[in-house]
Amino acid sequence: MTTRSLTVTVNGTETELDIDSRRLLVDVLRNELHLRGTKVGCDSAKCGACTVLVDGEPVKSCNVLALQMDEREVTTVEGLAEDGELSPEQQAFWDEYAFQCGYCTPGFLMSTTALLTETTDPSEEEIRHYLSGNICRCTGYVNIVEGVKAAAAVRNTGVGGEE
């Protein structure tokens, strides 16, 4: 076992860890940093449940070594809320019932956050294409797409949510 030092900023907090060089990012997030929002779904980067943002880009954390994150910034679903307030994406998913069991929801939220940072007013086709790397086994995706649209509207106008 080769142990190496890792310095990574996770959800705005710089962290130094000594880890086995073979550890996956998802394992370090869940087991070392106790950030359990990131899920392990398929272990093959196909379902998207483990999606996090690395320097703002969506990455499937079951498919990258933690050491690859040295001196980088990682955001997990726990890092989306600010001062106890849900992010526009989280609130929109809640308002639009864009979840059932919730297992895939963190991955969808991270992909949605990246999409809406990149494209302020995506079409339904763009949304479906961007989220194609995330799989939900419970819903028909309709409410998830509506959640993304609602989050885009809130980001663009600052107004939204249920009254």
Side-chain angles (χ1 to χ4, degrees):
M1 175 171 82
T2 304
T3 301
R4 304 243 334 251
S5 180
L6 166 69
T7 301
V8 60
T9 300
V10 179
N11 298 332
T13 302
E14 186 174 279
T15 304
E16 293 185 30
L17 300 163
D18 289 323
I19 59 168
D20 180 336
S21 61
R22 299 169 294 176
R23 299 275 309 272
L24 295 171
L25 177 57
V26 68
D27 295 327
V28 170
L29 291 172
R30 290 181 56 79
N31 300 320
E32 302 299 322
L33 300 178
H34 308 290
L35 297 169
R36 304 271 164 68
T38 303
K39 304 297 186 215
V40 178
C42 66
D43 277 332
S44 61
K46 296 195 183 329
C47 76
C50 67
T51 303
V52 298
L53 301 181
V54 177
D55 299 330
E57 296 294 321
V59 170
K60 293 178 180 174
S61 63
C62 76
N63 203 34
V64 296
L65 295 172
L67 286 176
Q68 291 176 274
M69 299 302 109
D70 196 37
E71 303 298 329
R72 299 184 79 183
E73 186 165 328
V74 175
T75 305
T76 69
V77 71
E78 291 91 346
L80 293 181
E82 290 185 30
D83 300 322
E85 295 291 321
L86 296 178
S87 71
E89 296 81 11
Q90 290 171 311
Q91 188 63 56
F93 270 52
W94 178 260
D95 293 344
E96 297 296 327
Y97 305 102
F99 53 88
Q100 277 189 12
C101 80
Y103 199 84
C104 65
T105 305
F108 272 103
L109 284 167
M110 301 314 294
S111 293
T112 297
T113 300
L115 169 63
L116 297 181
T117 299
E118 189 177 296
T119 307
T120 58
D121 191 22
S123 67
E124 183 168 330
E125 183 179 328
E126 289 172 309
I127 293 168
R128 288 183 180 276
H129 177 74
Y130 203 92
L131 298 181
S132 65
N134 296 79
I135 295 173
C136 176
R137 291 174 174 92
C138 298
T139 71
Y141 296 94
V142 172
N143 289 14
I144 293 170
V145 171
E146 291 304 313
V148 177
K149 289 179 184 178
V154 170
R155 277 180 163 233
N156 289 331
T157 64
V159 178
E162 291 188 1
E163 301 296 315

